[in-house]
Amino acid sequence: MSFLDKAKDFIDKHDEQVDKALEKVGEQIDDRTGGKYSTHIDKAVNEAQRRTGDGDTHP
């Protein structure tokens, strides 16, 4: 099993934690940019969450 396959397997098994981590990263970036790019950051976080795993916990 390659590293990429292992990463995909981990993400699929821990989708809720991955979604929460993406949300926290988005919040930190938003804070550091003073909310200037909130809309873009929200869209990026939502798209990343959509693409990780099959049981997304955040729409």
Side-chain angles (χ1 to χ4, degrees):
M1 183 180 277
S2 73
F3 174 77
L4 188 55
D5 289 334
K6 288 179 183 179
K8 287 179 182 178
D9 188 46
F10 176 84
I11 289 169
D12 286 343
K13 288 181 180 177
H14 303 284
D15 189 51
E16 185 174 336
Q17 291 89 344
V18 171
D19 284 351
K20 286 180 183 179
L22 289 168
E23 195 70 38
K24 282 189 168 228
V25 168
E27 289 171 5
Q28 288 180 357
I29 294 170
D30 197 33
D31 287 345
R32 290 182 183 190
T33 59
K36 188 174 180 181
Y37 304 103
S38 293
T39 304
H40 299 292
I41 293 166
D42 288 344
K43 285 181 185 178
V45 168
N46 289 339
E47 182 63 20
Q49 288 174 335
R50 187 184 71 76
R51 290 176 180 242
T52 57
D54 31 5
D56 290 324
T57 56
H58 295 87

